[in-house]
Amino acid sequence: MANNTTSDNNTQDFPTFTANLINSAQNDSSIPPESHFPTLSSYLRNHTVHPSPSPSAAAAETNAAATHLREWIISTISPSDIFAEENPYGAESGASGRGATTTPTRFRRGEEARCVDVKRQGLHLLSRLQTLGLLYNNDEKEGKGKGKEEPSASLIACLASFTDAKDPWTGGEETRELVEGILSHYLSDQDEEEEGKSRIFERLVVELLQKHIKPLFAKSKPPILTDAGRKKALRTFPADGSNQTMADMDSSSKPWKYHSPHIVTVFQWVLSHMTTSMVSAHWPLVIPPILTILDDVSIAYKIRGCHLLRLLLNAAEASLLERSVLGEVFHDTLVPHLLYLPTLTPEEESIPLLDATYNALIALTLARFPLQESGAAKIKALDGIFRDGIVKGHAHAGENVRITALLMKKSSDLVDAMGIYCVKHLKDLLPMVSATLTTPFALTYPPLLIAALGVLRAVISKAWPRVGYHRGDILEGLIVCWCRIADEDEASDEVLAMGAHIEEVVRTVVRIIGDDEEGRGDLRMLKDHDSRLQAILAV
């Protein structure tokens, strides 16, 4: 019977085959739609189907069938709420939204691999349609001959949802690369100097923002924003007294999180391809989703929000941030993330959140104050990040080497951003670095030593005139750590390499303080105390 069906399929023209296939899939609910994918794949391999730009009835029928087939594949493979985060406040039954799902968690998890495979099959079919020239709309207008290939917003939304390999529905790099290959054909057209294609792409972006993204974020829009995407002069609160945490209990207020999590990836793709003029023109559509995601209670979404903000900063005009007073809003939203520290926050969640938050805060500050005349405001903002993040974070980190290593690395970034103005923080920063280098467990985690040495290199580069004044803290940490490495009987190659790096930094410090009589006296005292230091402390 299967052979007869295949034989029948092989004799059908493309419109007839497409109509029969989709009717069969829609009329027989007992069979999953994706079970028809092998039949479709076989037909597309064995038939050469080409769209025709001529305004004939046959060409119109072929193009209509291709559109129908494309939309059916899209509806079949678009990520479903099987991958959405469960609402911890929702009930198994009797509640609305994601928490009310009747599908057991264990069943959904078991289905995940199969769903990913189905989506990959569907993407291969879309790729085949692209090869045949049937993937995009053939836009014919006023009898001008062959029109432009214009993708539908639903197609781009579907493809864009698979552009992040970390998403569970994407299934890794293989699927992402397949999608990037499909999208690259269309995106490469945008690089050509053709105004028409640029206008088509902007229309597509606007449709995605207005019809696909905005509706899913409408109920969770931050109350501090106006409809124009600017900060309200006076913050208002909902009449029912609800807040962000209460809103999170209602799945219907956050469909982007509990029903359609793939829309965040779609928004990420859109934002990464928007030009400066697009961002300026569609500012009210771009800002609310970023603030909503940043302010979500889920740490995973806070991290995504930080990444989205950096994409925005890459494309937006710096003046627009300040004119809308949103630079301050983003800053105030991010700063509380700096204290998501163990043990209240699990280490595996704290580290990526802190990393993303520091990167976003520093990038935001540099974007807000790009001009020389705004230097005082920039330094004030960076000072706040150092005090509220690095100093307080180090006080709470205790003996957590991974958190301490991260704070050391971000201290280097802040010193680089501050330049010579970092000198006001050396009295707090250098004792932290010294304590890190002298702690007994430093050698057990080489990345901690690398990060601490990175701070000293940054200080020497940006604030070398004050190195002599702080030579005590600097040399204490370096020499104690170097001696510990020298005393190790079975030090690893990585630790021995750290010893060589320490020697390099020590020699740089010695060159700086060697011109000062008091500094030379301190160096002589150290060499007299430990003969092993003769070589590295030589002036």
Side-chain angles (χ1 to χ4, degrees), residues 208-217 263 266-267 270 289:
L208 287 170
L209 288 171
Q210 288 183 335
K211 297 183 180 179
H212 291 255
I213 296 169
K214 181 182 177 180
L216 296 177
F217 287 89
I263 204 65
V266 175
F267 180 55
V270 169

Side-chain angles (χ1 to χ4, degrees), residues 512-532:
I512 293 174
I513 67 176
D515 294 335
D516 178 67
E517 181 58 37
E518 187 177 352
R520 287 198 298 271
D522 290 343
L523 295 176
R524 283 194 298 269
M525 182 180 65
L526 288 171
K527 288 186 285 187
D528 292 342
H529 180 74
D530 191 333
S531 59
R532 293 177 299 177

Side-chain angles (χ1 to χ4, degrees), residues 6 9-14 42-49 128 132:
T6 303
N9 289 337
N10 288 335
T11 61
Q12 295 174 355
D13 59 25
F14 179 67
S42 174
Y43 183 90
L44 293 178
R45 280 198 309 269
N46 296 321
H47 288 74
T48 302
V49 186
R128 178 59 180 162
L132 295 172

Side-chain angles (χ1 to χ4, degrees), residues 185-230:
H185 170 77
Y186 174 68
L187 291 175
S188 63
D189 289 346
Q190 310 313 312
D191 296 333
E192 299 176 9
E193 295 182 0
E194 187 173 329
E195 187 179 351
K197 289 178 179 177
S198 179
R199 286 200 303 268
I200 289 173
F201 183 67
E202 183 164 4
R203 285 203 305 270
L204 180 68
V205 165
V206 173
E207 185 175 351
L208 287 170
L209 288 171
Q210 288 183 335
K211 297 183 180 179
H212 291 255
I213 296 169
K214 181 182 177 180
L216 296 177
F217 287 89
K219 291 185 178 180
S220 52
K221 177 184 172 183
I224 199 170
L225 288 181
T226 67
D227 291 338
R230 296 172 179 269

Side-chain angles (χ1 to χ4, degrees), residues 461-476:
S461 172
K462 302 296 181 180
W464 63 267
R466 300 298 289 169
V467 167
Y469 181 82
H470 294 281
R471 62 184 179 276
D473 284 326
I474 296 174
L475 288 174
E476 177 189 6

Side-chain angles (χ1 to χ4, degrees), residues 73-237:
I73 295 173
I74 289 171
S75 66
T76 303
I77 69 172
S78 291
S80 63
D81 66 351
I82 191 174
F83 296 99
E85 182 174 320
E86 282 196 73
N87 186 349
Y89 308 107
E92 284 294 317
S93 60
S96 62
R98 185 74 183 92
T101 179
T102 57
T103 309
T105 301
R106 63 181 179 277
F107 173 76
R108 289 188 290 103
R109 286 175 180 166
E111 289 286 282
E112 203 167 280
R114 187 189 69 82
C115 287
V116 168
D117 184 59
V118 166
K119 296 178 191 316
R120 190 177 293 121
Q121 291 178 43
L123 291 169
H124 277 290
L125 290 173
L126 292 177
S127 178
R128 178 59 180 162
L129 288 176
Q130 182 188 54
T131 302
L132 295 172
L134 298 168
L135 187 59
Y136 302 137
N137 297 327
N138 193 22
D139 184 22
E140 295 181 74
K141 295 183 180 177
E142 301 178 4
K144 293 182 181 179
K146 184 175 181 180
K148 298 181 178 66
E149 290 185 337
E150 182 174 354
S152 67
S154 60
L155 170 63
I156 296 300
C158 175
L159 293 173
S161 64
F162 295 96
T163 53
D164 192 330
K166 296 187 292 295
D167 289 330
W169 55 84
T170 299
E173 283 294 329
E174 180 185 348
T175 304
R176 187 195 65 78
E177 290 174 2
L178 172 62
V179 170
E180 293 288 358
I182 300 173
L183 285 169
S184 64
H185 170 77
Y186 174 68
L187 291 175
S188 63
D189 289 346
Q190 310 313 312
D191 296 333
E192 299 176 9
E193 295 182 0
E194 187 173 329
E195 187 179 351
K197 289 178 179 177
S198 179
R199 286 200 303 268
I200 289 173
F201 183 67
E202 183 164 4
R203 285 203 305 270
L204 180 68
V205 165
V206 173
E207 185 175 351
L208 287 170
L209 288 171
Q210 288 183 335
K211 297 183 180 179
H212 291 255
I213 296 169
K214 181 182 177 180
L216 296 177
F217 287 89
K219 291 185 178 180
S220 52
K221 177 184 172 183
I224 199 170
L225 288 181
T226 67
D227 291 338
R230 296 172 179 269
K231 181 184 177 182
K232 289 181 179 178
L234 181 65
R235 181 165 183 172
T236 58
F237 295 91

